[in-house]
Amino acid sequence: MPSVGTAAVALFLLVIASTAGAQLSHKYYSTTCPGLQPLVRRIIDQALSQDPTLGAALLRLFFHDCFVNGCDASVLLDDTATFAGEKNAAPNMNSLRGFQVIDAIKSSVEAKCRQTVSCADILALAARDSVAALGGPYWAVYLGRRDSRTASQREAVANLPPPGASLSTMVSSFGAKGLAAWDTIALSGAHTIGQARCANFRQHIYNDTDVDPGFAGVRQLACPASGGDSITAPLDVQTPMVFDNDYYRNLVARKGLLHSDQQLFNGGQYDYLVSLYSTNQTAFFDDFATAMVKMGDMSPLTGSVGEIRTNCRRWN
Ligand code: HEM
């Protein structure tokens, strides 16, 4: 049984956590930047009509921002001669995309509401609108985050789970961010859209035993046992441009592309959730939307901490 001291500390931490979230609000810019949300949606729709693969890129940018010192747009800072940001951290280098869409949104937003809307909030809106534009759920985004004046390559490496991660590693790494195991399973459904590079799934299709042999064979044709590291394949073999529940159906059929994907359905504790989502898209959409709101609430900078960048690529 916890001592009174431990219980008091736990209560204190709970209060801190809930106050941080309480500072964000759906209506944060309703008087300072009315029309913000339709403007962002218009630019996302335009960008995706030219290149629908950008939707996946923008969703992932938000994840890679939030998991590294919170949702503070640290991932958007460019390296300089004296500063190594997160863009060139191993999980991000030659892999993150979509920065030009964030730039386009930021310059339109700046023209309308000068130095008012943070890059961190633009990332949150862009992720939500990308999911919705590709057929996925829609949720109200809490706003009011501010932008960091720093970034950490080391923290990016330490906090972003690698494609070879086990289920327990993923659950504990998400747990360290305040996300429950079911949030981990639901958020992984983001891999219903987008691509991965051969370097990241080679081990799985050549060496793992929990792979459908026909699927492994087809993937091996375009991902040689050595070389071709940057050749890509869809994370969802069925509908990589549609945000649906096919990701979970693939896992049940042992057609997950990454080792980490197939870990979610591998005789483990959460097979039942994968099975549920594979047959009930509404349950997946509801849980995904809830988990995205939770992820978006990770350690936001609020009040007078941080700043509102005028250019998302550098601090003011
Ligand atoms: C659970 C742990 C996770 C691992 C180990 C993981 C790993 C990866 C890897 C290795 C790639 C391919 C990158 C490349 O080859 O260049 C990828 C792509 C992607 N990830 Fe994850 N990821 C995880 C969770 C998430 C979450 C929580 C989200 C969003 C909510 C997400 C969204 C995406 C998207 C949309 C892509 C495709 C990006 C594109 O096409 O540009 N991932 N992920």
Side-chain angles (χ1 to χ4, degrees), residues 133-180:
L134 294 174
Y138 185 86
W139 59 93
V141 175
Y142 282 81
L143 299 165
R145 302 168 189 82
R146 289 166 63 85
D147 300 325
S148 72
R149 291 179 51 79
T150 185
S152 170
Q153 203 169 99
R154 193 169 41 86
E155 291 296 316
V157 173
N159 286 278
L160 295 165
S166 67
L167 178 61
S168 64
T169 301
M170 286 185 279
V171 169
S172 64
S173 115
F174 279 58
K177 308 280 178 198
L179 296 169

mmCIF file of all heavy atoms in Angstrom, residues 133-180:
data_model
loop_
_atom_site.group_PDB
_atom_site.id
_atom_site.type_symbol
_atom_site.label_atom_id
_atom_site.label_comp_id
_atom_site.label_asym_id
_atom_site.label_seq_id
_atom_site.Cartn_x
_atom_site.Cartn_y
_atom_site.Cartn_z
ATOM 1 N N ALA A 133 -8.547 14.459 -44.028
ATOM 2 C CA ALA A 133 -8.580 14.540 -45.495
ATOM 3 C C ALA A 133 -8.402 13.170 -46.147
ATOM 4 O O ALA A 133 -8.872 12.942 -47.263
ATOM 5 C CB ALA A 133 -7.493 15.499 -45.985
ATOM 6 N N LEU A 134 -7.736 12.258 -45.451
ATOM 7 C CA LEU A 134 -7.493 10.925 -46.036
ATOM 8 C C LEU A 134 -8.559 9.910 -45.593
ATOM 9 O O LEU A 134 -8.389 8.711 -45.778
ATOM 10 C CB LEU A 134 -6.085 10.440 -45.673
ATOM 11 C CG LEU A 134 -4.952 11.280 -46.288
ATOM 12 C CD1 LEU A 134 -3.589 10.834 -45.775
ATOM 13 C CD2 LEU A 134 -4.972 11.221 -47.824
ATOM 14 N N GLY A 135 -9.638 10.415 -44.987
ATOM 15 C CA GLY A 135 -10.763 9.525 -44.671
ATOM 16 C C GLY A 135 -10.845 9.100 -43.218
ATOM 17 O O GLY A 135 -11.713 8.309 -42.843
ATOM 18 N N GLY A 136 -9.921 9.611 -42.393
ATOM 19 C CA GLY A 136 -9.889 9.206 -40.985
ATOM 20 C C GLY A 136 -10.776 10.067 -40.109
ATOM 21 O O GLY A 136 -11.566 10.877 -40.623
ATOM 22 N N PRO A 137 -10.669 9.900 -38.791
ATOM 23 C CA PRO A 137 -11.523 10.638 -37.867
ATOM 24 C C PRO A 137 -11.143 12.115 -37.785
ATOM 25 O O PRO A 137 -10.049 12.512 -38.200
ATOM 26 C CB PRO A 137 -11.249 9.947 -36.525
ATOM 27 C CG PRO A 137 -9.875 9.402 -36.660
ATOM 28 C CD PRO A 137 -9.713 9.010 -38.106
ATOM 29 N N TYR A 138 -12.068 12.892 -37.234
ATOM 30 C CA TYR A 138 -11.858 14.325 -37.010
ATOM 31 C C TYR A 138 -11.998 14.563 -35.517
ATOM 32 O O TYR A 138 -12.839 13.944 -34.869
ATOM 33 C CB TYR A 138 -12.942 15.098 -37.768
ATOM 34 C CG TYR A 138 -12.770 16.598 -37.717
ATOM 35 C CD1 TYR A 138 -11.968 17.254 -38.636
ATOM 36 C CD2 TYR A 138 -13.414 17.343 -36.742
ATOM 37 C CE1 TYR A 138 -11.807 18.631 -38.592
ATOM 38 C CE2 TYR A 138 -13.255 18.730 -36.689
ATOM 39 C CZ TYR A 138 -12.452 19.360 -37.620
ATOM 40 O OH TYR A 138 -12.290 20.723 -37.571
ATOM 41 N N TRP A 139 -11.177 15.396 -34.949
ATOM 42 C CA TRP A 139 -11.313 15.698 -33.517
ATOM 43 C C TRP A 139 -11.028 17.185 -33.303
ATOM 44 O O TRP A 139 -10.390 17.833 -34.148
ATOM 45 C CB TRP A 139 -10.362 14.835 -32.679
ATOM 46 C CG TRP A 139 -8.914 14.989 -33.013
ATOM 47 C CD1 TRP A 139 -8.007 15.841 -32.435
ATOM 48 C CD2 TRP A 139 -8.171 14.255 -34.019
ATOM 49 N NE1 TRP A 139 -6.758 15.684 -33.025
ATOM 50 C CE2 TRP A 139 -6.840 14.722 -33.986
ATOM 51 C CE3 TRP A 139 -8.504 13.258 -34.948
ATOM 52 C CZ2 TRP A 139 -5.840 14.235 -34.848
ATOM 53 C CZ3 TRP A 139 -7.513 12.774 -35.805
ATOM 54 C CH2 TRP A 139 -6.203 13.254 -35.744
ATOM 55 N N ALA A 140 -11.528 17.703 -32.181
ATOM 56 C CA ALA A 140 -11.273 19.098 -31.838
ATOM 57 C C ALA A 140 -9.846 19.186 -31.292
ATOM 58 O O ALA A 140 -9.489 18.431 -30.388
ATOM 59 C CB ALA A 140 -12.277 19.566 -30.798
ATOM 60 N N VAL A 141 -9.051 20.088 -31.858
ATOM 61 C CA VAL A 141 -7.650 20.220 -31.428
ATOM 62 C C VAL A 141 -7.555 21.295 -30.331
ATOM 63 O O VAL A 141 -8.036 22.411 -30.512
ATOM 64 C CB VAL A 141 -6.748 20.613 -32.631
ATOM 65 C CG1 VAL A 141 -5.320 20.882 -32.173
ATOM 66 C CG2 VAL A 141 -6.768 19.516 -33.690
ATOM 67 N N TYR A 142 -6.950 20.919 -29.214
ATOM 68 C CA TYR A 142 -6.666 21.897 -28.164
ATOM 69 C C TYR A 142 -5.487 22.759 -28.626
ATOM 70 O O TYR A 142 -4.515 22.230 -29.188
ATOM 71 C CB TYR A 142 -6.284 21.189 -26.860
ATOM 72 C CG TYR A 142 -7.470 20.634 -26.112
ATOM 73 C CD1 TYR A 142 -8.039 19.418 -26.472
ATOM 74 C CD2 TYR A 142 -8.014 21.337 -25.035
ATOM 75 C CE1 TYR A 142 -9.128 18.906 -25.782
ATOM 76 C CE2 TYR A 142 -9.108 20.838 -24.348
ATOM 77 C CZ TYR A 142 -9.664 19.622 -24.719
ATOM 78 O OH TYR A 142 -10.734 19.128 -24.049
ATOM 79 N N LEU A 143 -5.571 24.069 -28.389
ATOM 80 C CA LEU A 143 -4.554 24.995 -28.904
ATOM 81 C C LEU A 143 -4.031 25.896 -27.789
ATOM 82 O O LEU A 143 -4.639 25.993 -26.726
ATOM 83 C CB LEU A 143 -5.180 25.850 -30.018
ATOM 84 C CG LEU A 143 -5.694 25.056 -31.230
ATOM 85 C CD1 LEU A 143 -6.618 25.914 -32.084
ATOM 86 C CD2 LEU A 143 -4.517 24.527 -32.057
ATOM 87 N N GLY A 144 -2.911 26.562 -28.079
ATOM 88 C CA GLY A 144 -2.325 27.470 -27.095
ATOM 89 C C GLY A 144 -0.894 27.077 -26.743
ATOM 90 O O GLY A 144 -0.310 27.628 -25.813
ATOM 91 N N ARG A 145 -0.338 26.109 -27.503
ATOM 92 C CA ARG A 145 1.072 25.744 -27.290
ATOM 93 C C ARG A 145 1.965 26.885 -27.775
ATOM 94 O O ARG A 145 1.595 27.579 -28.727
ATOM 95 C CB ARG A 145 1.442 24.489 -28.108
ATOM 96 C CG ARG A 145 0.615 23.274 -27.825
ATOM 97 C CD ARG A 145 0.859 22.189 -28.884
ATOM 98 N NE ARG A 145 -0.100 21.114 -28.714
ATOM 99 C CZ ARG A 145 -1.339 21.132 -29.187
ATOM 100 N NH1 ARG A 145 -1.765 22.162 -29.895
ATOM 101 N NH2 ARG A 145 -2.149 20.113 -28.969
ATOM 102 N N ARG A 146 3.146 27.005 -27.187
ATOM 103 C CA ARG A 146 4.131 27.956 -27.693
ATOM 104 C C ARG A 146 5.341 27.186 -28.225
ATOM 105 O O ARG A 146 5.456 25.980 -28.018
ATOM 106 C CB ARG A 146 4.505 28.952 -26.592
ATOM 107 C CG ARG A 146 3.330 29.903 -26.311
ATOM 108 C CD ARG A 146 3.499 30.678 -25.038
ATOM 109 N NE ARG A 146 4.655 31.573 -25.038
ATOM 110 C CZ ARG A 146 4.648 32.814 -25.531
ATOM 111 N NH1 ARG A 146 3.555 33.313 -26.086
ATOM 112 N NH2 ARG A 146 5.729 33.565 -25.455
ATOM 113 N N ASP A 147 6.214 27.903 -28.934
ATOM 114 C CA ASP A 147 7.339 27.243 -29.608
ATOM 115 C C ASP A 147 8.608 27.280 -28.759
ATOM 116 O O ASP A 147 8.893 28.287 -28.106
ATOM 117 C CB ASP A 147 7.619 27.935 -30.949
ATOM 118 C CG ASP A 147 6.421 27.888 -31.882
ATOM 119 O OD1 ASP A 147 5.696 26.867 -31.864
ATOM 120 O OD2 ASP A 147 6.201 28.875 -32.613
ATOM 121 N N SER A 148 9.379 26.208 -28.861
ATOM 122 C CA SER A 148 10.637 26.139 -28.109
ATOM 123 C C SER A 148 11.689 27.048 -28.745
ATOM 124 O O SER A 148 11.589 27.407 -29.923
ATOM 125 C CB SER A 148 11.168 24.710 -28.124
ATOM 126 O OG SER A 148 11.648 24.412 -29.414
ATOM 127 N N ARG A 149 12.693 27.354 -27.962
ATOM 128 C CA ARG A 149 13.841 28.076 -28.504
ATOM 129 C C ARG A 149 15.035 27.130 -28.623
ATOM 130 O O ARG A 149 16.167 27.556 -28.783
ATOM 131 C CB ARG A 149 14.179 29.276 -27.608
ATOM 132 C CG ARG A 149 13.089 30.361 -27.675
ATOM 133 C CD ARG A 149 13.391 31.543 -26.791
ATOM 134 N NE ARG A 149 14.721 32.087 -26.987
ATOM 135 C CZ ARG A 149 15.073 32.895 -27.982
ATOM 136 N NH1 ARG A 149 14.170 33.286 -28.861
ATOM 137 N NH2 ARG A 149 16.296 33.331 -28.081
ATOM 138 N N THR A 150 14.735 25.840 -28.550
ATOM 139 C CA THR A 150 15.811 24.862 -28.638
ATOM 140 C C THR A 150 15.283 23.525 -29.157
ATOM 141 O O THR A 150 14.076 23.353 -29.321
ATOM 142 C CB THR A 150 16.470 24.696 -27.253
ATOM 143 O OG1 THR A 150 17.586 23.814 -27.388
ATOM 144 C CG2 THR A 150 15.513 24.107 -26.235
ATOM 145 N N ALA A 151 16.217 22.605 -29.411
ATOM 146 C CA ALA A 151 15.858 21.261 -29.865
ATOM 147 C C ALA A 151 16.979 20.338 -29.420
ATOM 148 O O ALA A 151 18.062 20.814 -29.058
ATOM 149 C CB ALA A 151 15.740 21.240 -31.391
ATOM 150 N N SER A 152 16.730 19.030 -29.418
ATOM 151 C CA SER A 152 17.776 18.133 -28.947
ATOM 152 C C SER A 152 17.880 16.877 -29.806
ATOM 153 O O SER A 152 16.995 16.029 -29.801
ATOM 154 C CB SER A 152 17.514 17.730 -27.493
ATOM 155 O OG SER A 152 18.410 16.688 -27.128
ATOM 156 N N GLN A 153 19.004 16.789 -30.510
ATOM 157 C CA GLN A 153 19.247 15.615 -31.353
ATOM 158 C C GLN A 153 19.345 14.357 -30.482
ATOM 159 O O GLN A 153 18.824 13.302 -30.824
ATOM 160 C CB GLN A 153 20.541 15.826 -32.125
ATOM 161 C CG GLN A 153 20.601 14.988 -33.362
ATOM 162 C CD GLN A 153 21.739 15.397 -34.260
ATOM 163 O OE1 GLN A 153 22.781 14.748 -34.234
ATOM 164 N NE2 GLN A 153 21.575 16.451 -35.034
ATOM 165 N N ARG A 154 19.981 14.518 -29.323
ATOM 166 C CA ARG A 154 20.169 13.391 -28.417
ATOM 167 C C ARG A 154 18.820 12.872 -27.900
ATOM 168 O O ARG A 154 18.553 11.687 -27.874
ATOM 169 C CB ARG A 154 21.063 13.835 -27.245
ATOM 170 C CG ARG A 154 21.598 12.718 -26.385
ATOM 171 C CD ARG A 154 22.674 13.245 -25.422
ATOM 172 N NE ARG A 154 22.307 14.537 -24.854
ATOM 173 C CZ ARG A 154 21.547 14.691 -23.766
ATOM 174 N NH1 ARG A 154 21.099 13.657 -23.115
ATOM 175 N NH2 ARG A 154 21.270 15.903 -23.318
ATOM 176 N N GLU A 155 17.953 13.804 -27.521
ATOM 177 C CA GLU A 155 16.627 13.400 -27.020
ATOM 178 C C GLU A 155 15.789 12.753 -28.120
ATOM 179 O O GLU A 155 14.968 11.881 -27.838
ATOM 180 C CB GLU A 155 15.878 14.610 -26.440
ATOM 181 C CG GLU A 155 16.471 15.154 -25.156
ATOM 182 C CD GLU A 155 16.399 14.162 -24.004
ATOM 183 O OE1 GLU A 155 15.346 13.537 -23.834
ATOM 184 O OE2 GLU A 155 17.414 13.984 -23.314
ATOM 185 N N ALA A 156 15.989 13.199 -29.355
ATOM 186 C CA ALA A 156 15.232 12.593 -30.463
ATOM 187 C C ALA A 156 15.624 11.122 -30.594
ATOM 188 O O ALA A 156 14.772 10.238 -30.712
ATOM 189 C CB ALA A 156 15.490 13.343 -31.766
ATOM 190 N N VAL A 157 16.917 10.852 -30.536
ATOM 191 C CA VAL A 157 17.391 9.467 -30.638
ATOM 192 C C VAL A 157 16.888 8.648 -29.448
ATOM 193 O O VAL A 157 16.431 7.518 -29.596
ATOM 194 C CB VAL A 157 18.935 9.425 -30.716
ATOM 195 C CG1 VAL A 157 19.449 7.996 -30.660
ATOM 196 C CG2 VAL A 157 19.415 10.129 -31.979
ATOM 197 N N ALA A 158 16.913 9.261 -28.270
ATOM 198 C CA ALA A 158 16.543 8.517 -27.063
ATOM 199 C C ALA A 158 15.038 8.253 -26.963
ATOM 200 O O ALA A 158 14.625 7.264 -26.369
ATOM 201 C CB ALA A 158 17.008 9.291 -25.823
ATOM 202 N N ASN A 159 14.218 9.130 -27.543
ATOM 203 C CA ASN A 159 12.775 9.042 -27.296
ATOM 204 C C ASN A 159 11.942 8.434 -28.417
ATOM 205 O O ASN A 159 10.785 8.068 -28.185
ATOM 206 C CB ASN A 159 12.208 10.428 -26.980
ATOM 207 C CG ASN A 159 12.598 10.872 -25.578
ATOM 208 O OD1 ASN A 159 11.963 10.491 -24.611
ATOM 209 N ND2 ASN A 159 13.673 11.638 -25.462
ATOM 210 N N LEU A 160 12.500 8.390 -29.631
ATOM 211 C CA LEU A 160 11.688 7.864 -30.738
ATOM 212 C C LEU A 160 11.963 6.372 -30.892
ATOM 213 O O LEU A 160 13.113 5.968 -31.136
ATOM 214 C CB LEU A 160 12.016 8.625 -32.027
ATOM 215 C CG LEU A 160 11.609 10.104 -31.957
ATOM 216 C CD1 LEU A 160 12.257 10.910 -33.077
ATOM 217 C CD2 LEU A 160 10.087 10.253 -32.005
ATOM 218 N N PRO A 161 10.940 5.521 -30.731
ATOM 219 C CA PRO A 161 11.197 4.076 -30.761
ATOM 220 C C PRO A 161 11.644 3.617 -32.147
ATOM 221 O O PRO A 161 11.120 4.084 -33.154
ATOM 222 C CB PRO A 161 9.848 3.447 -30.374
ATOM 223 C CG PRO A 161 8.842 4.537 -30.409
ATOM 224 C CD PRO A 161 9.537 5.850 -30.478
ATOM 225 N N PRO A 162 12.629 2.711 -32.216
ATOM 226 C CA PRO A 162 13.125 2.227 -33.505
ATOM 227 C C PRO A 162 12.222 1.126 -34.079
ATOM 228 O O PRO A 162 11.454 0.513 -33.336
ATOM 229 C CB PRO A 162 14.504 1.651 -33.149
ATOM 230 C CG PRO A 162 14.368 1.228 -31.725
ATOM 231 C CD PRO A 162 13.374 2.153 -31.083
ATOM 232 N N PRO A 163 12.335 0.838 -35.383
ATOM 233 C CA PRO A 163 11.450 -0.159 -36.013
ATOM 234 C C PRO A 163 11.703 -1.580 -35.520
ATOM 235 O O PRO A 163 10.873 -2.460 -35.740
ATOM 236 C CB PRO A 163 11.778 -0.037 -37.502
ATOM 237 C CG PRO A 163 13.107 0.627 -37.562
ATOM 238 C CD PRO A 163 13.227 1.493 -36.346
ATOM 239 N N GLY A 164 12.830 -1.787 -34.840
ATOM 240 C CA GLY A 164 13.100 -3.124 -34.302
ATOM 241 C C GLY A 164 12.576 -3.279 -32.876
ATOM 242 O O GLY A 164 12.825 -4.302 -32.227
ATOM 243 N N ALA A 165 11.826 -2.285 -32.387
ATOM 244 C CA ALA A 165 11.388 -2.298 -30.984
ATOM 245 C C ALA A 165 10.430 -3.455 -30.691
ATOM 246 O O ALA A 165 9.633 -3.847 -31.534
ATOM 247 C CB ALA A 165 10.702 -0.971 -30.641
ATOM 248 N N SER A 166 10.527 -3.958 -29.466
ATOM 249 C CA SER A 166 9.595 -4.998 -29.010
ATOM 250 C C SER A 166 8.334 -4.331 -28.476
ATOM 251 O O SER A 166 8.329 -3.129 -28.204
ATOM 252 C CB SER A 166 10.232 -5.815 -27.895
ATOM 253 O OG SER A 166 10.387 -4.990 -26.760
ATOM 254 N N LEU A 167 7.289 -5.134 -28.286
ATOM 255 C CA LEU A 167 6.042 -4.605 -27.734
ATOM 256 C C LEU A 167 6.290 -3.953 -26.381
ATOM 257 O O LEU A 167 5.824 -2.840 -26.117
ATOM 258 C CB LEU A 167 5.015 -5.748 -27.609
ATOM 259 C CG LEU A 167 3.673 -5.368 -26.993
ATOM 260 C CD1 LEU A 167 2.973 -4.308 -27.833
ATOM 261 C CD2 LEU A 167 2.779 -6.600 -26.858
ATOM 262 N N SER A 168 7.064 -4.631 -25.512
ATOM 263 C CA SER A 168 7.239 -4.078 -24.165
ATOM 264 C C SER A 168 8.033 -2.775 -24.212
ATOM 265 O O SER A 168 7.752 -1.843 -23.459
ATOM 266 C CB SER A 168 7.862 -5.105 -23.221
ATOM 267 O OG SER A 168 9.142 -5.420 -23.671
ATOM 268 N N THR A 169 8.995 -2.672 -25.127
ATOM 269 C CA THR A 169 9.738 -1.401 -25.259
ATOM 270 C C THR A 169 8.793 -0.280 -25.685
ATOM 271 O O THR A 169 8.836 0.832 -25.156
ATOM 272 C CB THR A 169 10.858 -1.531 -26.321
ATOM 273 O OG1 THR A 169 11.719 -2.570 -25.918
ATOM 274 C CG2 THR A 169 11.644 -0.255 -26.499
ATOM 275 N N MET A 170 7.919 -0.578 -26.646
ATOM 276 C CA MET A 170 7.016 0.475 -27.128
ATOM 277 C C MET A 170 6.044 0.893 -26.031
ATOM 278 O O MET A 170 5.834 2.079 -25.797
ATOM 279 C CB MET A 170 6.239 -0.007 -28.354
ATOM 280 C CG MET A 170 7.110 -0.068 -29.585
ATOM 281 S SD MET A 170 6.173 -0.496 -31.052
ATOM 282 C CE MET A 170 6.055 -2.259 -30.923
ATOM 283 N N VAL A 171 5.472 -0.115 -25.344
ATOM 284 C CA VAL A 171 4.496 0.213 -24.297
ATOM 285 C C VAL A 171 5.179 1.021 -23.196
ATOM 286 O O VAL A 171 4.625 2.002 -22.697
ATOM 287 C CB VAL A 171 3.822 -1.069 -23.751
ATOM 288 C CG1 VAL A 171 3.018 -0.781 -22.496
ATOM 289 C CG2 VAL A 171 2.922 -1.680 -24.820
ATOM 290 N N SER A 172 6.440 0.668 -22.859
ATOM 291 C CA SER A 172 7.066 1.452 -21.785
ATOM 292 C C SER A 172 7.523 2.812 -22.286
ATOM 293 O O SER A 172 7.437 3.794 -21.546
ATOM 294 C CB SER A 172 8.159 0.676 -21.050
ATOM 295 O OG SER A 172 9.191 0.400 -21.919
ATOM 296 N N SER A 173 7.928 2.917 -23.547
ATOM 297 C CA SER A 173 8.330 4.248 -24.025
ATOM 298 C C SER A 173 7.107 5.175 -24.146
ATOM 299 O O SER A 173 7.174 6.359 -23.801
ATOM 300 C CB SER A 173 9.157 4.143 -25.310
ATOM 301 O OG SER A 173 8.534 4.710 -26.409
ATOM 302 N N PHE A 174 5.965 4.646 -24.553
ATOM 303 C CA PHE A 174 4.744 5.470 -24.592
ATOM 304 C C PHE A 174 4.261 5.745 -23.162
ATOM 305 O O PHE A 174 3.766 6.824 -22.860
ATOM 306 C CB PHE A 174 3.636 4.792 -25.416
ATOM 307 C CG PHE A 174 3.792 4.977 -26.914
ATOM 308 C CD1 PHE A 174 4.940 4.564 -27.578
ATOM 309 C CD2 PHE A 174 2.777 5.549 -27.661
ATOM 310 C CE1 PHE A 174 5.089 4.737 -28.956
ATOM 311 C CE2 PHE A 174 2.915 5.732 -29.044
ATOM 312 C CZ PHE A 174 4.065 5.319 -29.685
ATOM 313 N N GLY A 175 4.434 4.735 -22.289
ATOM 314 C CA GLY A 175 4.028 4.896 -20.889
ATOM 315 C C GLY A 175 4.793 6.030 -20.220
ATOM 316 O O GLY A 175 4.229 6.801 -19.438
ATOM 317 N N ALA A 176 6.091 6.150 -20.569
ATOM 318 C CA ALA A 176 6.907 7.219 -19.981
ATOM 319 C C ALA A 176 6.374 8.597 -20.379
ATOM 320 O O ALA A 176 6.702 9.612 -19.762
ATOM 321 C CB ALA A 176 8.356 7.060 -20.434
ATOM 322 N N LYS A 177 5.557 8.642 -21.427
ATOM 323 C CA LYS A 177 4.976 9.919 -21.880
ATOM 324 C C LYS A 177 3.550 10.083 -21.376
ATOM 325 O O LYS A 177 2.803 10.935 -21.864
ATOM 326 C CB LYS A 177 4.929 9.954 -23.417
ATOM 327 C CG LYS A 177 6.226 9.642 -24.096
ATOM 328 C CD LYS A 177 7.107 10.851 -24.080
ATOM 329 C CE LYS A 177 8.455 10.577 -24.704
ATOM 330 N NZ LYS A 177 9.432 11.589 -24.319
ATOM 331 N N GLY A 178 3.124 9.185 -20.495
ATOM 332 C CA GLY A 178 1.765 9.302 -19.960
ATOM 333 C C GLY A 178 0.709 8.657 -20.835
ATOM 334 O O GLY A 178 -0.488 8.882 -20.636
ATOM 335 N N LEU A 179 1.149 7.866 -21.818
ATOM 336 C CA LEU A 179 0.173 7.203 -22.699
ATOM 337 C C LEU A 179 -0.001 5.752 -22.260
ATOM 338 O O LEU A 179 0.977 5.069 -21.945
ATOM 339 C CB LEU A 179 0.648 7.259 -24.159
ATOM 340 C CG LEU A 179 0.743 8.675 -24.757
ATOM 341 C CD1 LEU A 179 1.477 8.654 -26.093
ATOM 342 C CD2 LEU A 179 -0.652 9.275 -24.938
ATOM 343 N N ALA A 180 -1.237 5.286 -22.258
ATOM 344 C CA ALA A 180 -1.518 3.921 -21.834
ATOM 345 C C ALA A 180 -1.211 2.939 -22.971
ATOM 346 O O ALA A 180 -1.021 3.348 -24.123
ATOM 347 C CB ALA A 180 -2.994 3.818 -21.454
#
